[in-house]
Amino acid sequence: MKNFDFWIRRIHSLSGVIALGAFLLEHIFTVSTVMGGPANFDKSVAALAAMPFLVPIEIIAIGMPIAFHGILGVVYALKAKNNPLRYGYWNNWMFYLQRITAYIAFVFIIWHVWTLRIVGKAMGGHLIGYDFMHNVLSDPLTFGFYVIGLLSSVFHFTNGLFGFSITWGIVSGPRGQRVVSIATLALFVLISSVGLTALTHFVK
């Protein structure tokens, strides 16, 4: 049983880094093309939609691993015990925020996929382009939810890299962990900045 828990936690960690990382970085890259203008964004979306076997790839390589990671992550989060208000250490706060952002990111990704890919296609099979995203994000509440969802997803991924490096024995010792913690925080700021800047281009 201990061996099973050992490996399932590592698979859970790996699924988060690979699947969530692929989903997040692809989205950030595609969305960031809007900074080159609406036509540039539409071109990027069209190129992505034209990829062969896109739907099976999304389901098998991204959707299923994210579902596995998300469901198991919620189970782990519910079992986690920490009290950042009493024990205000940096790593404890990061542990706490990792769990909170897990809930938010999981809900956001499900909502995002459901509203843009499933419901959107059912209502006419439109190609998600600049005009569509402009209409969606022009609603202040929706825009705010996107901001929260983006920041939560990016934080969960980048801070998850810190946990991944420890879980897999890549980094050990206080000094190494401190370096990785600073690096992942810097990565969070970088990716978030790109994503938030791109979002603002849809409401100009």
Side-chain angles (χ1 to χ4, degrees), residues 109-131:
I109 290 173
I110 292 175
W111 177 82
H112 173 73
V113 173
W114 176 260
T115 56
L116 297 191
R117 296 298 300 275
I118 299 176
V119 174
K121 285 187 176 296
M123 294 178 63
H126 61 267
L127 182 64
I128 299 173
Y130 175 84
D131 291 337

Side-chain angles (χ1 to χ4, degrees), residues 21-104:
F23 176 86
L24 182 64
L25 295 178
E26 180 275 314
H27 272 65
I28 294 293
F29 173 78
T30 301
V31 170
S32 68
T33 61
V34 74
M35 290 186 279
N40 198 41
F41 175 74
D42 289 343
K43 182 179 178 181
S44 297
V45 173
L48 184 64
M51 285 181 58
F53 309 110
L54 177 61
V55 173
I57 290 174
E58 287 181 325
I59 294 174
I60 297 172
I62 298 178
M64 291 175 65
I66 285 181
F68 167 79
H69 183 82
I71 294 171
L72 193 58
V74 169
V75 173
Y76 287 152
L78 292 174
K79 292 181 178 180
K81 296 180 181 180
N82 68 321
N83 188 348
L85 298 180
R86 183 177 179 186
Y87 303 106
Y89 299 109
W90 174 259
N91 286 344
N92 201 28
W93 273 106
M94 293 298 101
F95 177 86
Y96 178 72
L97 290 174
Q98 185 72 358
R99 270 54 192 172
I100 295 299
T101 55
Y103 295 126
I104 299 173

